[in-house]
Amino acid sequence: MSTLAILRYPHPRLHLVATPVEEVDDSIRQLCDDMLETMYASNGVGLAATQVDVQKRLLVMDLSEDSDAPQVYINPEIIWRSDEKIVWKEGCLSVPTVFDEVQRHAQIRVRALGRDGQPFEVEASELHAVCLQHEIDHLDGKVFVEYLSPLKARRIKTKMQKMSRDDVRGG
């Protein structure tokens, strides 16, 4: 396994729409493993393939306190959303140091393939539902910043651009 580079907002490739995984083979399973390693190394709870510049519909998550319950969703699709909404303070590995409240559906049902290529469905609520919606947004080319006011989004974009310039300069 190896850690992968995470694209930082506002990188244009974060806005590409991922394509479905045609076959769950060893290369896809390796990508899942590498994404999990990357997510754990970055202290995240979720990571979409688009964030590591792979335009495939694949995401990984682990919401456990001990980081010992990895979840893999290949070709995830939200098939039901509750009318009830929930507001959650979200962060993102592609938008480091930024956290803000986003309104999402309180409960969802998702259909996907597992790491083994077998289909499954899961009903999710609270953090699980928020995380799945956040990561599926990535696969659809959307970053959580886009849910915020235009003023907040511009400030975050400027902050991320400055951080990227500072990283290049080593400062």
Side-chain angles (χ1 to χ4, degrees):
M1 292 198 301
S2 61
T3 56
L4 307 168
I6 298 173
L7 297 177
R8 186 179 289 168
Y9 179 80
H11 197 290
R13 293 188 65 78
L14 287 170
H15 298 291
L16 297 177
V17 176
T19 60
V21 171
E22 297 295 326
E23 179 185 358
V24 180
D25 57 16
D26 287 342
S27 68
I28 292 297
R29 284 186 281 279
Q30 183 64 54
L31 176 60
C32 294
D33 295 345
D34 291 345
M35 287 174 57
L36 283 163
E37 182 173 322
T38 301
M39 180 189 74
Y40 290 132
S42 302
N43 296 313
V45 296
L47 185 66
T50 51
Q51 291 178 270
V52 294
D53 205 16
V54 176
Q55 305 308 317
K56 294 287 181 193
R57 295 195 71 79
L58 187 158
L59 67 89
V60 297
M61 295 172 40
D62 189 337
L63 304 177
S64 67
E65 288 188 24
D66 298 326
S67 298
D68 60 358
Q71 300 173 43
V72 171
Y73 295 80
I74 299 169
N75 297 334
E77 168 188 11
I78 297 174
I79 57 175
W80 175 82
R81 296 168 173 83
S82 67
D83 291 334
E84 180 188 354
K85 300 288 181 103
I86 188 172
V87 174
W88 208 276
K89 193 166 200 168
E90 296 186 24
C92 181
L93 295 176
S94 291
V95 193
T97 73
V98 173
F99 298 87
D100 214 317
E101 292 184 339
V102 175
Q103 180 177 283
R104 299 202 184 260
H105 296 277
Q107 295 179 296
I108 60 171
R109 185 175 303 121
V110 172
R111 178 184 302 137
L113 301 176
R115 188 181 182 281
D116 58 3
Q118 294 303 305
F120 69 95
E121 287 186 16
V122 64
E123 286 203 25
S125 60
E126 300 201 349
L127 177 59
H128 191 191
V130 167
C131 193
L132 278 168
Q133 290 170 88
H134 177 111
E135 300 306 334
I136 291 170
D137 272 354
H138 276 299
L139 301 179
D140 294 332
K142 189 169 186 174
V143 180
F144 90 99
V145 170
E146 296 170 46
Y147 287 98
L148 308 178
S149 73
L151 177 61
K152 278 186 180 180
R154 278 194 305 278
R155 286 182 176 163
I156 292 167
K157 183 176 182 178
T158 299
K159 178 181 180 177
M160 292 299 108
Q161 289 169 327
K162 183 180 182 324
M163 283 176 70
S164 291
R165 284 193 303 270
D166 290 348
D167 289 349
V168 170
R169 290 188 204 124

